[in-house]
Amino acid sequence: MVRFLKEEYEQYSQVREKKKLDTDAQEVIANLHAKYYKHSFYKPCTCSGKTWQQWVAQLNDIYGQGY
């Protein structure tokens, strides 16, 4: 079972509360996704929300496991 570290859990909690994909949220999402899905860091284009939605859904699965 994969879980966030406590600090990561708290950061992602703040992103979820905002419900906005601002620059800070993009940074947190991209960093966490790169770490937990083992790819190099990059921020997808905001012109298409499909990748962002997929990443958020995948991170929500980890978030649901707690820390």
Side-chain angles (χ1 to χ4, degrees):
M1 181 180 336
V2 177
R3 292 183 180 191
F4 288 141
L5 300 173
K6 184 176 182 182
E7 180 182 325
E8 294 167 341
Y9 187 88
E10 291 169 356
Q11 282 182 324
Y12 194 66
S13 292
Q14 291 174 356
V15 168
R16 287 171 48 106
E17 287 172 11
K18 281 188 204 176
K19 297 183 182 183
K20 280 185 164 184
L21 191 59
D22 60 16
T23 306
D24 293 335
Q26 290 174 7
E27 193 77 20
V28 170
I29 292 166
N31 272 317
L32 291 174
H33 199 274
K35 177 180 177 179
Y36 288 95
Y37 288 89
K38 300 181 184 358
H39 62 81
S40 57
F41 172 85
Y42 73 94
K43 289 189 207 176
C45 178
T46 55
C47 57
S48 171
K50 187 175 183 177
T51 302
W52 287 107
Q53 290 172 348
Q54 180 183 17
W55 284 14
V56 167
Q58 291 171 329
L59 292 173
N60 283 343
D61 289 341
I62 297 172
Y63 181 83
Q65 301 298 320
Y67 59 86

Coordinates of all heavy atoms in Angstrom, one line a residue:
M1 N 0.8 -1.2 0.0 CA 0.0 0.0 0.0 C 0.9 1.2 0.0 O 1.8 1.4 0.8 CB -0.9 0.0 1.2 CG -1.8 1.2 1.3 SD -2.9 1.2 2.8 CE -3.1 -0.4 3.3
V2 N 0.6 2.1 -0.9 CA 1.4 3.4 -1.0 C 0.7 4.5 -0.2 O -0.6 4.6 -0.4 CB 1.5 3.8 -2.5 CG1 2.3 5.1 -2.6 CG2 2.2 2.7 -3.3
R3 N 1.4 5.2 0.5 CA 0.8 6.3 1.3 C 1.7 7.6 1.2 O 3.0 7.4 1.1 CB 0.7 6.0 2.8 CG -0.3 4.9 3.0 CD -0.4 4.7 4.5 NE -1.4 3.6 4.7 CZ -1.9 3.3 5.9 NH1 -1.5 4.0 7.0 NH2 -2.8 2.4 6.0
F4 N 1.1 8.7 1.3 CA 1.9 10.0 1.4 C 2.6 10.1 2.7 O 2.1 9.5 3.7 CB 1.0 11.2 1.3 CG 0.4 11.4 -0.1 CD1 -0.9 11.9 -0.2 CD2 1.1 11.3 -1.3 CE1 -1.5 12.1 -1.5 CE2 0.6 11.6 -2.5 CZ -0.7 12.0 -2.6
L5 N 3.7 10.8 2.7 CA 4.3 11.2 4.0 C 3.3 12.2 4.6 O 2.5 12.9 3.9 CB 5.7 11.8 3.8 CG 6.7 10.9 3.1 CD1 8.0 11.7 2.8 CD2 7.0 9.7 4.0
K6 N 3.4 12.4 5.9 CA 2.5 13.4 6.6 C 2.5 14.8 5.9 O 1.5 15.4 5.7 CB 2.8 13.5 8.1 CG 1.9 14.3 8.8 CD 2.1 14.3 10.3 CE 1.1 15.2 11.0 NZ 1.3 15.3 12.4
E7 N 3.7 15.3 5.7 CA 3.9 16.6 5.1 C 3.2 16.7 3.7 O 2.5 17.6 3.3 CB 5.4 17.0 4.9 CG 5.6 18.3 4.4 CD 7.1 18.6 4.2 OE1 7.9 18.2 5.1 OE2 7.5 19.3 3.2
E8 N 3.4 15.6 2.9 CA 2.8 15.6 1.6 C 1.3 15.5 1.7 O 0.6 16.1 0.9 CB 3.3 14.3 0.8 CG 4.8 14.4 0.5 CD 5.4 13.1 0.0 OE1 4.7 12.0 0.3 OE2 6.4 13.1 -0.6
Y9 N 0.8 14.7 2.6 CA -0.6 14.6 2.9 C -1.2 15.9 3.2 O -2.3 16.3 2.6 CB -0.9 13.6 4.0 CG -2.3 13.2 4.2 CD1 -2.9 12.2 3.5 CD2 -3.1 14.0 5.1 CE1 -4.3 11.9 3.7 CE2 -4.4 13.7 5.3 CZ -5.0 12.6 4.6 OH -6.3 12.3 4.8
E10 N -0.6 16.7 4.0 CA -1.1 18.0 4.4 C -1.0 19.0 3.2 O -2.0 19.7 3.0 CB -0.3 18.6 5.6 CG -0.5 17.8 6.9 CD 0.4 18.1 8.0 OE1 1.4 18.9 7.8 OE2 0.2 17.6 9.1
Q11 N 0.0 18.9 2.4 CA 0.1 19.8 1.2 C -1.0 19.4 0.3 O -1.7 20.3 -0.3 CB 1.4 19.5 0.5 CG 2.6 20.2 1.1 CD 3.9 19.9 0.2 OE1 4.0 18.8 -0.4 NE2 4.7 20.9 0.1
Y12 N -1.2 18.2 0.0 CA -2.3 17.7 -0.9 C -3.7 18.1 -0.4 O -4.6 18.4 -1.1 CB -2.1 16.3 -1.3 CG -3.0 15.9 -2.5 CD1 -2.7 16.4 -3.7 CD2 -4.1 15.0 -2.4 CE1 -3.4 16.1 -4.8 CE2 -4.8 14.7 -3.5 CZ -4.5 15.3 -4.7 OH -5.3 14.9 -5.8
S13 N -3.8 18.0 0.9 CA -5.1 18.4 1.6 C -5.4 19.9 1.2 O -6.6 20.2 0.9 CB -5.0 18.3 3.1 OG -4.9 16.9 3.5
Q14 N -4.4 20.7 1.3 CA -4.6 22.1 1.0 C -5.0 22.3 -0.5 O -5.9 23.1 -0.8 CB -3.4 22.9 1.3 CG -3.1 23.0 2.8 CD -1.7 23.7 3.1 OE1 -1.0 24.1 2.1 NE2 -1.5 23.9 4.3
V15 N -4.4 21.5 -1.4 CA -4.7 21.6 -2.8 C -6.2 21.2 -3.0 O -6.9 21.8 -3.7 CB -3.8 20.7 -3.6 CG1 -4.3 20.5 -5.1 CG2 -2.4 21.2 -3.6
R16 N -6.6 20.1 -2.3 CA -8.0 19.7 -2.5 C -9.0 20.7 -1.9 O -10.1 20.8 -2.5 CB -8.1 18.3 -1.7 CG -7.5 17.2 -2.5 CD -7.5 15.9 -1.6 NE -8.7 15.6 -1.0 CZ -9.6 14.6 -1.4 NH1 -9.2 13.9 -2.4 NH2 -10.7 14.4 -0.8
E17 N -8.6 21.3 -0.8 CA -9.5 22.4 -0.3 C -9.7 23.5 -1.2 O -10.8 24.1 -1.3 CB -9.0 22.8 1.1 CG -9.1 21.8 2.2 CD -8.4 22.2 3.5 OE1 -8.0 23.4 3.6 OE2 -8.3 21.4 4.3
K18 N -8.7 23.9 -1.9 CA -8.7 25.1 -2.8 C -9.7 24.8 -4.0 O -10.3 25.7 -4.4 CB -7.4 25.4 -3.4 CG -6.4 26.2 -2.5 CD -5.2 26.6 -3.3 CE -4.0 26.8 -2.5 NZ -2.8 27.1 -3.3
K19 N -9.6 23.6 -4.5 CA -10.4 23.2 -5.7 C -10.1 24.1 -6.9 O -10.9 24.4 -7.7 CB -11.9 23.2 -5.4 CG -12.2 22.2 -4.3 CD -13.7 22.1 -4.1 CE -14.0 21.1 -3.0 NZ -15.3 20.9 -2.7
K20 N -8.8 24.6 -7.0 CA -8.4 25.4 -8.1 C -7.0 24.9 -8.5 O -6.2 24.5 -7.7 CB -8.2 26.9 -7.6 CG -9.4 27.7 -7.6 CD -9.0 29.1 -7.2 CE -10.2 30.1 -7.5 NZ -9.8 31.5 -7.3
L21 N -6.8 25.0 -9.8 CA -5.6 24.5 -10.4 C -4.7 25.7 -10.6 O -4.3 26.0 -11.8 CB -5.8 23.7 -11.7 CG -4.6 23.0 -12.3 CD1 -4.1 21.9 -11.3 CD2 -5.0 22.3 -13.5
D22 N -4.3 26.4 -9.5 CA -3.4 27.5 -9.7 C -2.0 27.0 -9.7 O -1.7 25.8 -9.7 CB -3.6 28.5 -8.5 CG -3.4 28.0 -7.1 OD1 -2.8 26.9 -7.0 OD2 -3.8 28.6 -6.2
T23 N -1.0 28.0 -9.8 CA 0.4 27.6 -10.0 C 0.9 26.8 -8.8 O 1.6 25.8 -9.0 CB 1.2 28.9 -10.1 OG1 0.7 29.7 -11.2 CG2 2.7 28.6 -10.4
D24 N 0.5 27.1 -7.6 CA 0.9 26.4 -6.4 C 0.4 24.9 -6.5 O 1.1 24.0 -6.2 CB 0.5 27.1 -5.1 CG 1.2 28.4 -4.9 OD1 2.3 28.6 -5.4 OD2 0.7 29.2 -4.2
A25 N -0.9 24.8 -6.8 CA -1.5 23.5 -6.9 C -0.8 22.6 -8.0 O -0.6 21.4 -7.8 CB -3.0 23.6 -7.1
Q26 N -0.5 23.2 -9.1 CA 0.2 22.5 -10.2 C 1.5 22.0 -9.7 O 1.9 20.8 -10.0 CB 0.4 23.4 -11.4 CG -0.9 23.8 -12.1 CD -0.6 24.8 -13.2 OE1 0.5 25.1 -13.5 NE2 -1.7 25.3 -13.8
E27 N 2.2 22.8 -9.0 CA 3.6 22.4 -8.5 C 3.4 21.2 -7.6 O 4.2 20.2 -7.7 CB 4.2 23.6 -7.7 CG 5.6 23.4 -7.5 CD 6.5 23.7 -8.7 OE1 6.1 24.3 -9.6 OE2 7.7 23.2 -8.6
V28 N 2.5 21.2 -6.6 CA 2.3 20.1 -5.7 C 1.9 18.9 -6.4 O 2.5 17.8 -6.2 CB 1.3 20.5 -4.6 CG1 0.9 19.3 -3.7 CG2 1.8 21.6 -3.7
I29 N 0.9 19.0 -7.3 CA 0.4 17.8 -8.0 C 1.5 17.2 -8.9 O 1.7 16.0 -8.9 CB -0.8 18.2 -8.9 CG1 -2.0 18.5 -7.9 CG2 -1.2 17.1 -9.8 CD1 -3.2 19.3 -8.7
A30 N 2.2 18.0 -9.6 CA 3.3 17.5 -10.5 C 4.4 16.9 -9.7 O 4.9 15.8 -10.1 CB 3.8 18.7 -11.4
N31 N 4.8 17.5 -8.6 CA 5.9 16.9 -7.8 C 5.4 15.5 -7.2 O 6.2 14.6 -7.3 CB 6.2 17.8 -6.6 CG 7.3 18.8 -7.0 OD1 8.3 18.5 -7.7 ND2 7.1 20.1 -6.6
L32 N 4.3 15.5 -6.6 CA 3.8 14.2 -6.0 C 3.6 13.1 -7.1 O 4.0 12.0 -6.9 CB 2.5 14.5 -5.3 CG 2.6 15.3 -4.0 CD1 1.2 15.5 -3.4 CD2 3.5 14.6 -3.0
H33 N 3.0 13.5 -8.2 CA 2.8 12.5 -9.3 C 4.1 12.0 -9.8 O 4.3 10.8 -10.0 CB 2.0 13.1 -10.4 CG 1.3 12.0 -11.2 ND1 2.0 11.4 -12.3 CD2 0.1 11.4 -11.2 CE1 1.2 10.5 -12.8 NE2 0.1 10.5 -12.2
A34 N 5.1 12.9 -10.0 CA 6.4 12.4 -10.5 C 7.0 11.4 -9.5 O 7.6 10.4 -9.8 CB 7.3 13.6 -10.7
K35 N 6.9 11.8 -8.2 CA 7.5 10.9 -7.1 C 6.8 9.5 -7.1 O 7.5 8.5 -7.1 CB 7.4 11.6 -5.8 CG 7.9 10.8 -4.6 CD 7.8 11.5 -3.3 CE 8.3 10.6 -2.2 NZ 8.2 11.2 -0.9
Y36 N 5.5 9.5 -7.0 CA 4.8 8.3 -6.7 C 4.5 7.5 -8.0 O 4.3 6.3 -7.9 CB 3.5 8.6 -6.0 CG 3.8 8.9 -4.6 CD1 3.9 10.3 -4.1 CD2 4.0 7.9 -3.6 CE1 4.2 10.6 -2.8 CE2 4.3 8.2 -2.3 CZ 4.4 9.6 -1.9 OH 4.8 9.9 -0.6
Y37 N 4.6 8.1 -9.2 CA 4.4 7.4 -10.4 C 5.7 7.3 -11.2 O 5.7 7.0 -12.4 CB 3.2 8.0 -11.2 CG 1.9 7.6 -10.5 CD1 1.4 8.4 -9.5 CD2 1.3 6.4 -10.8 CE1 0.2 8.1 -8.9 CE2 0.1 6.1 -10.2 CZ -0.4 6.9 -9.2 OH -1.6 6.6 -8.5
K38 N 6.8 7.6 -10.5 CA 8.2 7.4 -11.0 C 8.4 7.9 -12.4 O 8.8 7.1 -13.3 CB 8.5 5.9 -10.9 CG 8.4 5.4 -9.5 CD 8.8 3.9 -9.3 CE 8.7 3.3 -8.0 NZ 8.3 4.0 -6.8
H39 N 8.2 9.2 -12.6 CA 8.6 9.8 -13.9 C 9.3 11.1 -13.5 O 9.2 11.6 -12.4 CB 7.4 10.0 -14.8 CG 6.3 10.8 -14.3 ND1 6.3 12.2 -14.3 CD2 5.1 10.5 -13.7 CE1 5.2 12.7 -13.8 NE2 4.5 11.7 -13.4
S40 N 9.9 11.7 -14.5 CA 10.6 13.0 -14.2 C 9.5 14.1 -14.1 O 8.4 14.0 -14.6 CB 11.6 13.3 -15.4 OG 10.9 13.3 -16.6
F41 N 9.9 15.1 -13.3 CA 9.0 16.2 -13.1 C 8.7 17.0 -14.4 O 9.6 17.3 -15.1 CB 9.6 17.1 -12.0 CG 8.8 18.4 -11.8 CD1 7.7 18.4 -10.9 CD2 9.1 19.5 -12.5 CE1 7.0 19.6 -10.8 CE2 8.4 20.7 -12.3 CZ 7.3 20.7 -11.5
Y42 N 7.4 17.2 -14.6 CA 7.0 18.2 -15.6 C 5.6 18.6 -15.3 O 4.8 17.9 -14.7 CB 7.1 17.6 -17.0 CG 6.1 16.5 -17.4 CD1 4.9 16.9 -18.1 CD2 6.3 15.2 -17.1 CE1 4.0 15.9 -18.4 CE2 5.3 14.2 -17.4 CZ 4.2 14.6 -18.1 OH 3.3 13.7 -18.4
K43 N 5.2 19.7 -15.8 CA 3.8 20.2 -15.7 C 3.1 20.1 -17.0 O 3.6 20.7 -18.0 CB 3.8 21.7 -15.2 CG 4.3 21.9 -13.8 CD 4.0 23.3 -13.4 CE 4.9 23.8 -12.4 NZ 4.7 25.2 -12.1
P44 N 2.1 19.3 -17.1 CA 1.3 19.2 -18.4 C 0.7 20.6 -18.8 O 0.5 21.5 -17.9 CB 0.2 18.2 -18.1 CG 0.6 17.5 -16.8 CD 1.5 18.5 -16.1
C45 N 0.4 20.8 -20.0 CA -0.2 22.0 -20.5 C -1.6 22.1 -19.8 O -2.3 21.2 -19.7 CB -0.3 21.9 -22.0 SG -1.2 23.3 -22.7
T46 N -1.9 23.3 -19.4 CA -3.2 23.6 -18.8 C -4.3 23.7 -19.9 O -5.5 23.9 -19.6 CB -3.2 24.8 -17.9 OG1 -2.7 25.9 -18.7 CG2 -2.3 24.6 -16.7
C47 N -3.9 23.7 -21.2 CA -4.9 23.9 -22.2 C -5.8 22.7 -22.3 O -6.9 22.8 -22.8 CB -4.2 24.1 -23.6 SG -3.1 22.8 -24.1
S48 N -5.4 21.5 -21.9 CA -6.2 20.4 -21.8 C -6.2 19.8 -20.4 O -5.1 19.4 -19.9 CB -5.7 19.3 -22.8 OG -6.4 18.1 -22.6
G49 N -7.3 19.8 -19.8 CA -7.4 19.3 -18.4 C -7.4 17.8 -18.2 O -7.3 17.3 -17.1
K50 N -7.4 17.1 -19.3 CA -7.5 15.6 -19.2 C -6.3 15.0 -18.4 O -6.5 14.2 -17.5 CB -7.5 15.0 -20.6 CG -7.8 13.5 -20.6 CD -7.9 13.0 -22.0 CE -8.2 11.5 -22.0 NZ -8.4 11.0 -23.3
T51 N -5.1 15.4 -18.6 CA -3.9 14.9 -17.9 C -4.0 15.3 -16.4 O -3.8 14.5 -15.5 CB -2.6 15.3 -18.5 OG1 -2.6 14.9 -19.9 CG2 -1.4 14.8 -17.8
W52 N -4.4 16.5 -16.2 CA -4.5 17.0 -14.8 C -5.5 16.2 -14.1 O -5.3 15.8 -12.9 CB -4.8 18.5 -14.7 CG -3.6 19.4 -15.1 CD1 -3.4 20.1 -16.2 CD2 -2.4 19.6 -14.3 NE1 -2.2 20.7 -16.2 CE2 -1.6 20.4 -15.0 CE3 -2.0 19.1 -13.0 CZ2 -0.3 20.9 -14.5 CZ3 -0.8 19.6 -12.6 CH2 0.1 20.4 -13.3
Q53 N -6.7 16.0 -14.7 CA -7.7 15.2 -14.1 C -7.3 13.8 -13.7 O -7.6 13.3 -12.7 CB -9.0 15.2 -15.0 CG -9.7 16.5 -15.1 CD -10.8 16.5 -16.1 OE1 -10.9 15.6 -16.9 NE2 -11.6 17.6 -16.1
Q54 N -6.6 13.2 -14.7 CA -6.1 11.9 -14.4 C -5.1 11.8 -13.3 O -5.2 11.0 -12.4 CB -5.4 11.3 -15.7 CG -4.9 9.9 -15.5 CD -4.1 9.4 -16.8 OE1 -3.8 10.2 -17.6 NE2 -3.9 8.2 -16.9
W55 N -4.2 12.8 -13.2 CA -3.2 12.8 -12.2 C -3.9 13.1 -10.8 O -3.5 12.4 -9.8 CB -2.2 14.0 -12.4 CG -1.2 13.6 -13.4 CD1 -1.2 12.6 -14.3 CD2 0.0 14.3 -13.7 NE1 -0.1 12.6 -15.1 CE2 0.7 13.7 -14.8 CE3 0.6 15.5 -13.1 CZ2 1.9 14.1 -15.2 CZ3 1.9 15.9 -13.6 CH2 2.5 15.2 -14.7
V56 N -4.9 14.0 -10.8 CA -5.6 14.2 -9.5 C -6.3 13.0 -9.1 O -6.3 12.6 -7.9 CB -6.5 15.4 -9.7 CG1 -7.5 15.5 -8.5 CG2 -5.8 16.7 -9.8
A57 N -6.9 12.3 -10.0 CA -7.6 11.0 -9.6 C -6.7 10.0 -9.0 O -7.0 9.3 -8.0 CB -8.4 10.5 -10.8
Q58 N -5.5 9.9 -9.7 CA -4.5 8.9 -9.2 C -4.0 9.3 -7.8 O -3.8 8.5 -6.9 CB -3.4 8.8 -10.2 CG -3.8 8.1 -11.5 CD -2.7 8.2 -12.6 OE1 -2.0 9.1 -12.7 NE2 -2.7 7.2 -13.4
L59 N -3.7 10.6 -7.6 CA -3.3 11.1 -6.3 C -4.3 10.9 -5.2 O -4.0 10.7 -4.1 CB -2.7 12.5 -6.4 CG -1.5 12.7 -7.2 CD1 -1.1 14.2 -7.4 CD2 -0.3 11.9 -6.6
N60 N -5.6 11.1 -5.6 CA -6.7 10.9 -4.7 C -6.7 9.5 -4.2 O -7.1 9.3 -3.0 CB -8.0 11.3 -5.3 CG -8.2 12.8 -5.4 OD1 -7.6 13.6 -4.7 ND2 -9.2 13.2 -6.3
D61 N -6.4 8.5 -5.0 CA -6.3 7.1 -4.6 C -5.3 7.0 -3.4 O -5.6 6.3 -2.4 CB -6.0 6.2 -5.7 CG -7.1 6.1 -6.7 OD1 -8.3 6.4 -6.4 OD2 -6.8 5.6 -7.9
I62 N -4.1 7.6 -3.6 CA -3.1 7.5 -2.6 C -3.6 8.3 -1.4 O -3.4 7.8 -0.2 CB -1.8 8.1 -3.1 CG1 -1.3 7.2 -4.3 CG2 -0.7 8.1 -2.0 CD1 0.0 7.8 -5.0
Y63 N -4.2 9.5 -1.6 CA -4.6 10.3 -0.5 C -5.6 9.5 0.4 O -5.6 9.6 1.6 CB -5.3 11.6 -1.1 CG -5.8 12.5 0.0 CD1 -4.9 13.5 0.6 CD2 -7.1 12.6 0.3 CE1 -5.4 14.4 1.5 CE2 -7.6 13.5 1.2 CZ -6.8 14.4 1.8 OH -7.2 15.3 2.7
G64 N -6.5 8.7 -0.2 CA -7.5 8.0 0.5 C -6.9 6.9 1.4 O -7.6 6.5 2.3
Q65 N -5.6 6.6 1.3 CA -4.9 5.6 2.1 C -4.4 6.3 3.4 O -3.9 5.6 4.3 CB -3.8 5.0 1.4 CG -4.1 4.2 0.1 CD -5.1 3.1 0.4 OE1 -4.9 2.4 1.4 NE2 -6.0 2.9 -0.5
G66 N -4.5 7.6 3.5 CA -4.0 8.3 4.7 C -2.5 8.5 4.5 O -1.9 8.5 3.5
Y67 N -1.8 8.7 5.7 CA -0.4 8.9 5.7 C 0.2 8.0 6.7 O -0.4 7.4 7.5 CB 0.0 10.3 6.0 CG -0.4 11.0 7.2 CD1 0.3 10.8 8.4 CD2 -1.6 11.7 7.3 CE1 -0.1 11.4 9.6 CE2 -2.0 12.3 8.4 CZ -1.3 12.1 9.6 OH -1.7 12.7 10.8

